[in-house]
Amino acid sequence: MTNQSAPNNFLSILGIEAHNPGTSTGKNHFMDAAAPVKNIHSPVDGSLIGSIAFTTATEYEEVVAKAEEAYLIWRKIPAPKRGEIVRQYGNLLREYKDALGKLVSFEMGKSLQEGLGEVQEMIDICDFAVGLSRQLHGLTMHSERPNHRMYEQWHPVGVVGIISAFNFPVAVWSWNSMIAAICGDVCIWKPSEKTPLSALACQKLMARIIAENNLPEGLFCLVNGDYKVGEWLSHDERIPLVSATGSVRMGKAVGSALAQRFGKALLELGGNNAIILSPNANLDLAMVGVLFGAVGTAGQRCTTTRRLIIHESIYDQVKNKLIKAYGQLTIGNPLEGNLVGPLIDKDAVNAYLNAIEQLKIEGGNVLTGAEVLTGQGYESGCYVKPTICEAKNSFKIVQSETFAPILYLLKYNELEEAIAIQNGVKQGLSSSIFTDHMQEAEEFLSAWGSDCGIANVNIGTSGAEIGGAFGGEKETGGGRESGSDAWKAYMRRQTNTLNFGKELPLAQGIKFDL
């Protein structure tokens, strides 16, 4: 397959014409002369995949109006019936998994295996949501008043805004939208302006399911654009909940806007994830987790391993193993079996270079990598070598998240010190320890252990399963998506008291006689 022909093949299979504008509610709209048009180039080879028009303010109003109309219908459909629509979508994703996975890989730059894995994650969350559609349970409680029954139930919130990031251009949308859908909500999705074609493909497939079931097209909507469109969603009082995945800076803006209008925010923001390597670790096992965590998706995951906290007794051994392993990485076109693909764009490359320069200024030491690749196969200018550095946790650059494959090696002596280093950053997403010592594992998982939303033992920081609630603490935002009881974020709780007696006793024994 040649890169020049591949993009159009993916798009045509998914029902998208290359170089055409995007959609608002599933139908192509004309190229509005007033709307900015963005050309989408693949970071794989720099080729033009397509062009997409940003949503105008007028179109945005039309989208919200259609979403509100659809909600009035959707909320009355029984949850298991809503689950049936999600089931059909999951089956359609199975049919188009290969084409969509290749489009994700080509548009974003992650390996083909990861692109296919992302679509599989969508399929998995559909399956999860279908089962969940029969389990949206409430609670019953005993009333202190005679002949009274108390219970609580959950209702949909309405129109949900979803702002997703480029690194997972389709999966994170599904985490939110499939769960929100079975809860009775409708969704308006603003994908990253860097990867809108993968989003458009998902929208096209969903439009087929909606049409086949004679449902209102406003159930799943798409709006394209830059941060301004995100601001529209965040400030729109018609949208009670906005789920936003991205940088801490973006999350602060979204959270602040929602707080001003008492809206609900579900934030999935930055990560500065660490793995602790104990002297009791199985190092052969650990190297697999460290390597994938550090270089998977070219370091462009919120769960990427950025800090490796190594016991001083095994530090040199681990360092040498890693340098050898990094020397065996294949870097290149992600659709051709290479383990490491490109960064998303040249801005990301510059951030990579700036981080390495800042590390050197602060006194760090580069062990391997720190190079932008050029020449045949690297024409896009977005390929870099995964980098290993020696550093201190107190370095300013180590305290921040650089979305690139840079791994910082840190030493520790006692487990308490290692946990303090792990927790000693503003982010709190994912964490891990490799140890075969039960007491070390339990201390890491205790209330005085990792302060992250995800804490793993003998697996890496990335690769979370959809069955567990995904999210983190501190500047990661506190949101939870996907599994467990994360569905409650997309619903409103209502406490009900039912009096089936012939008298009206008041709570706390209050008397109010007329």
Side-chain angles (χ1 to χ4, degrees):
M1 153 187 321
T2 63
N3 292 341
Q4 286 71 28
S5 63
N8 290 347
N9 288 341
F10 305 157
L11 295 172
S12 62
I13 290 171
L14 295 163
I16 306 169
E17 184 179 349
H19 315 308
N20 264 11
T23 68
S24 54
T25 55
K27 297 178 180 178
N28 283 333
H29 62 72
F30 58 92
M31 191 78 80
D32 192 325
V37 176
K38 183 175 178 62
N39 292 329
I40 309 301
H41 295 269
S42 171
V44 174
D45 61 5
S47 63
L48 178 66
I49 310 176
S51 302
I52 197 157
F54 284 2
T55 300
T56 65
T58 299
E59 289 172 330
Y60 174 81
E61 289 300 321
E62 293 172 354
V63 167
V64 176
K66 287 185 177 180
E68 289 185 309
E69 291 174 5
Y71 173 62
L72 298 180
I73 297 170
W74 188 242
R75 66 182 179 179
K76 293 183 179 180
I77 295 176
K81 298 294 185 182
R82 300 193 291 252
E84 167 60 17
I85 302 304
V86 173
R87 185 193 67 80
Q88 293 177 30
Y89 187 61
N91 285 344
L92 194 60
L93 288 174
R94 287 179 169 89
E95 183 179 343
Y96 287 95
K97 177 181 175 179
D98 184 69
L100 183 55
K102 288 176 180 175
L103 176 58
V104 167
S105 178
F106 198 80
E107 186 180 29
M108 186 270 153
K110 62 176 58 178
S111 71
L112 178 56
Q113 187 176 3
E114 290 182 86
L116 295 172
E118 184 168 348
V119 181
Q120 184 60 50
E121 197 164 318
M122 298 177 72
I123 295 168
D124 292 344
I125 200 67
C126 286
D127 289 348
F128 181 87
V130 171
L132 187 62
S133 68
R134 295 180 180 272
Q135 301 177 67
L136 302 177
H137 53 77
L139 294 172
T140 59
M141 296 153 281
H142 289 280
S143 172
E144 66 182 45
R145 292 168 284 183
N147 299 323
H148 281 60
R149 180 166 67 88
M150 291 181 65
Y151 64 96
E152 65 179 30
Q153 59 181 335
W154 295 83
H155 297 303
V157 296
V159 181
V160 174
I162 301 171
I163 301 172
S164 63
F166 74 87
N167 59 331
F168 281 86
V170 295
V172 172
W173 166 73
S174 70
W175 289 3
N176 286 273
S177 61
M178 296 304 108
I179 302 298
I182 60 99
C183 289
D185 300 316
V186 301
C187 298
I188 300 176
W189 180 17
K190 192 208 91 64
S192 168
E193 64 270 29
K194 298 180 179 182
T195 53
L197 296 176
S198 296
L200 179 56
C202 292
Q203 185 75 8
K204 285 283 189 177
L205 295 177
M206 179 57 78
R208 287 174 51 178
I209 299 298
I210 289 173
E212 289 169 3
N213 288 273
N214 197 30
L215 290 168
E217 63 178 17
L219 289 180
F220 294 88
C221 303
L222 185 72
V223 288
N224 283 301
D226 56 17
Y227 70 94
K228 293 180 182 178
V229 180
E231 288 180 346
W232 294 345
L233 289 170
S234 302
H235 288 88
D236 195 332
E237 294 185 354
R238 296 167 294 183
I239 301 175
L241 168 65
V242 174
S243 173
T245 302
S247 68
V248 172
R249 182 177 64 178
M250 179 275 289
K252 287 181 177 179
V254 171
S256 176
L258 286 160
Q260 289 294 318
R261 63 179 178 87
F262 296 102
K264 295 173 65 177
L266 198 168
L267 301 177
E268 296 290 351
L269 310 177
N272 195 345
N273 316 293
I275 292 178
I276 297 173
L277 289 188
S278 160
N280 299 301
N282 178 332
L283 291 185
D284 290 335
L285 185 73
M287 287 303 103
V288 176
V290 171
L291 198 62
F292 178 71
V295 306
T297 324
Q300 298 172 113
R301 288 177 176 234
C302 55
T303 55
T304 290
T305 304
R306 308 205 179 277
R307 298 175 295 142
L308 186 60
I309 307 168
I310 311 166
H311 192 271
E312 58 185 15
S313 66
I314 57 172
Y315 182 86
D316 289 337
Q317 181 184 2
V318 169
K319 179 174 70 173
N320 292 333
K321 278 180 173 287
L322 280 172
I323 293 173
K324 181 179 179 181
Y326 270 52
Q328 298 171 356
L329 294 173
T330 57
I331 306 169
N333 188 326
L335 278 79
E336 296 178 353
N338 291 295
L339 296 174
V340 181
L343 295 178
I344 186 63
D345 54 27
K346 290 185 179 179
D347 287 341
V349 173
N350 290 333
Y352 162 87
L353 293 173
N354 291 338
I356 293 169
E357 185 61 29
Q358 179 63 33
L359 173 93
K360 293 176 180 177
I361 292 172
E362 295 190 68
N365 178 37
V366 175
L367 298 175
T368 187
E371 180 183 346
V372 179
L373 299 176
T374 58
Q376 187 175 1
Y378 305 121
E379 290 87 357
S380 70
C382 297
Y383 291 89
V384 302
K385 281 191 174 182
T387 302
I388 304 173
C389 305
E390 293 181 304
K392 294 181 179 179
N393 205 54
S394 59
F395 286 0
K396 184 178 179 181
I397 192 60
V398 176
Q399 288 287 311
S400 62
E401 179 188 40
T402 303
F403 237 46
I406 303 175
L407 179 65
Y408 303 112
L409 305 188
L410 312 169
K411 287 183 182 180
Y412 82 95
N413 182 259
E414 300 291 338
L415 181 59
E416 184 178 357
E417 177 191 2
I419 293 174
I421 293 171
Q422 141 65 39
N423 295 343
V425 292
K426 292 182 178 180
Q427 308 86 354
L429 179 53
S430 187
S431 59
S432 174
I433 186 172
F434 278 84
T435 180
D436 287 341
H437 195 291
M438 183 190 71
Q439 289 177 319
E440 287 184 327
E442 289 292 348
E443 184 166 353
F444 180 73
L445 300 175
S446 71
W448 54 94
S450 169
D451 65 359
C452 293
I454 299 170
N456 298 326
V457 176
N458 292 335
I459 62 171
T461 58
S462 58
E465 296 184 37
I466 59 96
F470 180 88
E473 303 302 322
K474 301 189 291 188
E475 285 195 354
T476 301
R480 293 296 187 275
E481 297 171 333
S482 189
S484 185
D485 64 349
W487 61 269
K488 293 180 179 179
Y490 308 94
M491 306 194 82
R492 58 182 176 87
R493 188 195 310 250
Q494 184 181 81
T495 300
N496 306 113
T497 304
L498 189 154
N499 179 3
F500 59 91
K502 299 184 182 300
E503 297 180 352
L504 184 59
L506 303 178
Q508 289 85 44
I510 295 174
K511 301 293 184 180
F512 188 72
D513 296 326
L514 294 176

